[in-house]
Amino acid sequence: MNDQALREPTLLILTAIADAPRHGYAIAQEVEKISEGRTKMRTGTLYGALERLLEQELIAVHEEEVVDGRRRRSYALAPRGREVLAAEAARLARTAQEATRRLGLGGAGASLGASFRGSFRVGGLVVGS
C-alpha cells in the first residue's frame, strides 16, 4: 500500500472488522452504522472490495463454512491491514486537529477534548469528548 489516503469504502470496511471478524452482511451493516447511513454497500461492490483487500493482504478469511448450500466467509483484519488502518486513523486525527486549530476551536497545543464542549465528526471520525 502506498502513502495515499484510503478511499472511504476501504476505510469503512477495515474499520468494520477492526474489532472482530465479520461476514459480508455484517460488514455491510457495520459500514452503514459507522457512516451514519451515508454509505450503503451493495453486495457486488462489497464482495469486489473484499476480494481486492484479500489480494492486498489487508484482510484475511477468518472462517469459512457452508450454510444452506452457500459458502459463507467471515473476514478479519490482517496484520498489514491493522498497520494501514492505524496509520490512516492517525493521519485523519492530525488533519482534524489542524482543521480544529485553524477554525479557532482550540488553542495551539490544547487537547481537542479540552478545547470545546462536545464533539463533532470529520467523515467517520469523532473528534472531541
Side-chain angles (χ1 to χ4, degrees):
M1 198 95 208
N2 54 32
D3 290 337
Q4 291 183 346
L6 293 178
R7 292 179 50 222
E8 188 172 26
T10 300
L11 173 64
L12 292 169
I13 291 169
L14 295 179
T15 301
I17 62 173
D19 61 342
R22 290 186 169 79
H23 57 80
Y25 180 72
I27 293 170
Q29 287 180 314
E30 284 296 305
V31 163
E32 189 171 345
K33 180 180 169 186
I34 293 164
S35 70
E36 296 180 324
R38 285 178 304 139
T39 303
K40 295 179 180 160
M41 300 204 76
R42 294 183 179 172
T43 304
T45 302
L46 174 64
Y47 285 100
L50 291 171
E51 286 303 315
R52 179 178 49 80
L53 294 172
L54 282 167
E55 289 172 10
Q56 293 173 342
E57 299 180 346
L58 297 178
I59 66 171
V61 174
H62 177 261
E63 197 172 73
E64 193 168 21
E65 61 184 341
V66 176
V67 177
D68 296 329
R70 299 174 86 179
R71 183 176 65 174
R72 180 175 169 168
R73 287 178 166 178
S74 62
Y75 301 89
L77 206 54
R80 184 164 180 259
R82 184 168 296 283
E83 290 172 12
V84 167
L85 182 58
E88 182 68 358
R91 185 191 70 77
L92 289 169
R94 286 189 307 272
T95 301
Q97 186 171 17
E98 182 62 13
T100 300
R101 184 187 70 75
R102 290 177 182 221
L103 287 167
L105 298 175
S111 159
L112 284 177
S115 301
F116 55 91
R117 289 194 175 123
S119 61
F120 63 95
R121 288 194 171 274
V122 177
L125 180 69
V126 177
V127 181
S129 54

